[in-house]
Amino acid sequence: WAYAGYIIIIAVGLLGIRGFEKNRIKLRNELKMYEFESQKTREVESMKSRFIANLSHEFRTPLMLIKGPVEKLLNENSKGTIGDQLKMIDRNSKNLQNLIDQLLELSQLEAAAIPLKAKEENIIALIKGLTFSFESLAKEKNISLEFFAESQSIILWIDRDKLEKIINNLLSNAFKFTNEGRKISVSVEENIQNKFVCIIIEDSGI
């Protein structure tokens, strides 16, 4: 009976140890899963924060470009001038609308799946239009704004929205750090041999 008792005690002990180890492994796996999910949640929240912060920055440029023409409309009576300013207001209002639409991409951001929307565009016309949308701000700050391109048309596959963001940010920063009476220039150079285009934004600020 003593040996039988010893065997039973050892068997129960082994079963207890096995059960304890299984529970510990289960808890460890659950903890790892919880840490993984927490990390992913933090990453998504961080991406959301950066996304919204970038959007807030993007809102500033079109609003700034709308403000200048509106103030001029209040002070000028020239029909031709008013017509040009209204076109600029309309163009930058559309830019604002596009930025607002991007707020809807937050759901796609959570899945890390903001799609690339590329199509064929004339990059010369696009960059030139973006450059001269800052014309009223250039006049207001007495800054010389120039655009150079050897060709009138270069067709490329681009995501217009994302390229507009890049150019607007670069130009906005150029105007922010360029003093009155200085110069900002934008140029588009085509390298036919290597099949790429170089967009150069230069300013004489700090």
Side-chain angles (χ1 to χ4, degrees):
W1 289 107
Y3 287 119
Y6 296 151
I7 292 171
I8 291 172
I9 291 171
I10 291 171
V12 170
L14 290 173
L15 288 172
I17 292 171
R18 178 172 172 77
F20 174 78
E21 284 295 322
K22 287 177 68 176
N23 286 333
R24 191 172 70 166
I25 292 171
K26 182 181 178 183
L27 287 172
R28 186 189 303 161
N29 290 337
E30 288 177 351
L31 181 60
K32 285 183 179 179
M33 184 60 69
Y34 174 77
E35 290 175 347
F36 176 78
E37 290 175 353
S38 297
Q39 182 182 356
K40 285 299 178 183
T41 300
R42 288 194 297 269
E43 288 175 357
V44 169
E45 291 300 324
S46 176
M47 289 175 70
K48 279 186 179 180
S49 298
R50 291 197 303 270
F51 186 79
I52 293 172
N54 288 337
L55 274 182
S56 299
H57 180 71
E58 296 293 340
F59 279 126
R60 295 172 59 194
T61 299
L63 283 173
M64 177 176 60
L65 296 176
I66 289 172
K67 181 182 177 184
V70 168
E71 289 175 347
K72 284 191 175 184
L73 284 173
L74 295 174
N75 298 320
E76 296 176 2
N77 295 317
S78 170
K79 290 183 179 179
T81 302
I82 290 175
D84 292 337
Q85 302 297 336
L86 284 173
K87 289 179 182 177
M88 188 174 294
I89 290 172
D90 179 63
R91 183 163 59 249
N92 286 289
S93 296
K94 290 177 180 176
N95 288 341
L96 271 179
Q97 182 62 53
N98 289 334
L99 291 172
I100 293 170
D101 290 341
Q102 288 171 33
L103 287 172
L104 300 176
E105 292 185 349
L106 280 175
S107 58
Q108 294 175 314
L109 183 63
E110 290 182 2
I114 294 181
L116 187 69
K117 301 174 182 175
K119 63 178 182 178
E120 288 186 310
E121 296 261 7
N122 179 3
I123 198 169
I124 300 296
L126 175 60
I127 302 300
K128 185 176 182 180
L130 291 172
T131 300
F132 288 112
S133 67
F134 285 80
E135 193 170 22
S136 63
L137 181 61
K139 290 179 180 177
E140 182 182 326
K141 296 188 68 174
N142 191 28
I143 292 174
S144 173
L145 179 62
E146 300 175 345
F147 175 81
F148 303 99
E150 294 181 356
S151 175
Q152 294 296 316
S153 176
I154 301 175
I155 306 299
L156 296 177
W157 281 88
I158 59 171
D159 186 320
R160 184 187 184 99
D161 171 67
K162 292 173 179 61
L163 183 60
E164 282 184 354
K165 278 188 173 187
I166 295 169
I167 302 303
N168 279 332
N169 270 322
L170 290 171
L171 282 169
S172 179
N173 287 334
F175 275 96
K176 182 178 179 181
F177 295 107
T178 301
N179 293 328
E180 184 176 346
R182 306 302 290 273
K183 183 176 75 171
I184 295 174
S185 66
V186 180
S187 58
V188 181
E189 299 177 0
E190 183 180 15
N191 186 310
I192 298 175
Q193 182 179 358
N194 295 320
K195 298 181 180 180
F196 70 85
V197 163
C198 185
I199 302 168
I200 304 169
I201 298 178
E202 296 179 289
D203 65 76
S204 54
I206 61 173

